[in-house]
Amino acid sequence: MRQVAWYNRIRQETEKPEYQTATIKILDRSLVTEGEYNFDTGEWDGAVNPEDATIYEGRARIITTRWGVDRNEDKFANPDTLMPVRIQLPRDDLPGMVRKGCIVTILSAPNQALVGRPMSVTMDFHGSSAASRTIQCRISGDAIDGGE
């Protein structure tokens, strides 16, 4: 008896390319290492550069969340305006964990103002992950608006 679970029916719809219209890259900074300098060759042995630490590059859906939802209360201790953003990815394209602190860069998006914007992953698990892979990030609103 084959039964299609509710989350698979939602996944079939939400993972369509017409909904996942952005392209992103996820960099796991914990994989970047300098290695050891080899004086004989003049190169770093065992070094992993940021391009090799890319754990995902592909399509995504970028979803902003409501301003009233801020469970960490950063606004009281941080003068920067941090905005939560959720990103949905094709579930099977990223099987491993996305560590907190990974950097997400928007490579292309219908809204060109988002291109090149870095975000920091705050959570790998989200309620909508049952259907499509969903990670939560934070993006600096001050950086977007030209602040430093």
Side-chain angles (χ1 to χ4, degrees), residues 119-137:
M119 295 178 270
S120 177
V121 173
T122 58
M123 188 182 331
D124 176 75
F125 178 74
H126 193 272
S128 60
S129 287
S132 293
R133 183 67 184 272
T134 305
I135 58 175
Q136 185 160 307
C137 301

Side-chain angles (χ1 to χ4, degrees), residues 1-13:
M1 177 173 138
R2 184 173 183 272
Q3 184 177 15
V4 178
W6 65 268
Y7 52 84
N8 284 329
R9 291 194 303 268
I10 293 171
R11 176 180 169 195
Q12 290 168 359
E13 188 66 25

Side-chain angles (χ1 to χ4, degrees), residues 25-33 46-57:
K25 177 167 54 173
I26 302 175
L27 168 72
D28 187 342
R29 295 185 302 177
S30 71
L31 301 177
V32 177
T33 59
V48 176
N49 66 42
E51 290 305 313
D52 295 332
T54 298
I55 60 171
Y56 177 79
E57 186 169 340

Side-chain angles (χ1 to χ4, degrees), residues 3-133:
Q3 184 177 15
V4 178
W6 65 268
Y7 52 84
N8 284 329
R9 291 194 303 268
I10 293 171
R11 176 180 169 195
Q12 290 168 359
E13 188 66 25
T14 61
E15 290 190 0
K16 289 181 177 177
E18 57 260 35
Y19 296 116
Q20 295 184 347
T21 56
T23 304
I24 65 165
K25 177 167 54 173
I26 302 175
L27 168 72
D28 187 342
R29 295 185 302 177
S30 71
L31 301 177
V32 177
T33 59
E34 289 183 4
E36 292 186 27
Y37 188 73
N38 184 325
F39 288 97
D40 296 328
T41 64
E43 296 182 4
W44 289 90
D45 292 335
V48 176
N49 66 42
E51 290 305 313
D52 295 332
T54 298
I55 60 171
Y56 177 79
E57 186 169 340
R59 62 187 170 96
R61 179 179 181 195
I62 301 169
I63 308 158
T64 58
T65 58
R66 296 181 324 205
W67 278 98
V69 180
D70 190 359
R71 69 177 185 83
N72 293 327
E73 298 299 329
D74 309 276
K75 61 185 175 266
F76 297 116
N78 189 342
D80 193 2
T81 304
L82 299 174
M83 298 184 303
V85 176
R86 291 189 185 125
I87 299 176
Q88 287 184 330
L89 313 167
R91 185 170 191 74
D92 296 332
D93 289 1
L94 186 63
M97 186 176 102
V98 181
R99 289 185 174 97
K100 182 177 180 177
C102 285
I103 302 298
V104 177
T105 304
I106 302 170
L107 302 176
S108 69
N111 180 350
Q112 290 299 305
L114 295 174
V115 176
R117 301 292 183 195
M119 295 178 270
S120 177
V121 173
T122 58
M123 188 182 331
D124 176 75
F125 178 74
H126 193 272
S128 60
S129 287
S132 293
R133 183 67 184 272

